[in-house]
């Protein structure tokens, strides 16, 4: 096996890798604590997500890189929120969501089968409480946001399309037909066995 090493000498903005994805076109996307990198096998291009937006945080750390089924590339930055890559003009569009500016750090995202983006974030300024919504689902088309009051430790989209949340209160899933969260009670019975 032959390995190529890519580091700060070859153009990475920093050596700490936080996320990694190879897209359907073959580009390698690398999230770092100091920006996003696109690597085509020959050269790197660095993007500082939010650097051109007035009032954005100067923390360019990338939490998550996700390619949707339709080929859309979504990037979750630690402090500047959610971005969609616009391939035709090689730039990023920011999607605002509630909690983006109140000290929350974005931790993870998944995209469900209805093109909803699920995000969870951790409060860093002790701002949890009855008005804190660490979990949100953003409808990509309408930009409408649904909020859920769960302190999440894990977030997964299963093969069947069900969104699972590991929480401090146990295992929870989003019931699309009912439009609400359902808590799993063990032992599993009936529809919960999916």
């Amino acid at each position: 096996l032959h390995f190529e090493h890519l580091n700060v000498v070859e153009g990475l903005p920093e050596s700490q890798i936080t996320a990694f994805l190879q897209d359907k076109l073959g580009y390698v996307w690398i999230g770092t604590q100091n920006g996003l990198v696109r690597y085509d096998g020959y050269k790197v291009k660095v993007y500082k997500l939010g650097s051109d937006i007035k009032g954005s945080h100067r923390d360019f750390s990338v939490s998550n890189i996700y390619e949707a089924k339709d080929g859309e590339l979504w990037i979750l930055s630690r402090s500047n929120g959610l971005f969609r890559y616009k391939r035709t003009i090689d730039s990023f569009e920011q999607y605002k969501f509630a909690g983006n500016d109140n000290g929350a750090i974005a931790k993870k995202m998944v995209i469900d089968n209805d093109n909803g983006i699920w995000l969870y974030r951790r409060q860093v300024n002790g701002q949890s409480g009855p008005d804190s919504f660490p979990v949100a689902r953003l409808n990509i088309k309408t930009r409408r946001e649904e909020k859920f009051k769960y302190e999440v430790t894990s977030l997964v989209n299963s093969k069947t399309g069900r969104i699972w949340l590991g929480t401090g209160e146990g295992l929870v899933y989003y019931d699309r037909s009912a439009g609400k969260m359902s808590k799993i009670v063990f032992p599993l019975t009936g529809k919960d066995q999916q």
Side-chain angles (χ1 to χ4, degrees), residues 32-45:
T32 74
Q33 291 183 350
N34 194 24
L36 176 70
V37 174
R38 183 184 68 196
Y39 180 60
D40 64 5
Y42 300 100
K43 61 183 186 256
V44 299
K45 180 168 184 180

Side-chain angles (χ1 to χ4, degrees), residues 149-161:
K149 292 187 178 197
Y150 285 98
E151 293 292 333
V152 174
T153 57
S154 182
L155 180 65
V156 175
N157 185 2
S158 72
K159 289 181 182 177
T160 62

Side-chain angles (χ1 to χ4, degrees), residues 24-74:
K24 294 175 182 175
L25 299 177
Y27 290 106
V28 174
W29 295 88
I30 304 164
T32 74
Q33 291 183 350
N34 194 24
L36 176 70
V37 174
R38 183 184 68 196
Y39 180 60
D40 64 5
Y42 300 100
K43 61 183 186 256
V44 299
K45 180 168 184 180
V46 178
Y47 302 87
K48 303 275 187 161
L49 301 176
S51 64
D52 59 341
I53 299 169
K54 185 178 179 181
S56 70
H57 295 273
R58 292 292 165 227
D59 174 0
F60 302 115
S61 183
V62 172
S63 298
N64 216 218
I65 306 169
Y66 197 95
E67 185 173 23
K69 290 179 183 176
D70 63 3
E72 290 278 357
L73 194 66
W74 294 89

Side-chain angles (χ1 to χ4, degrees), residues 157-168:
N157 185 2
S158 72
K159 289 181 182 177
T160 62
R162 181 174 278 179
I163 300 296
W164 291 91
L165 292 81
T167 75

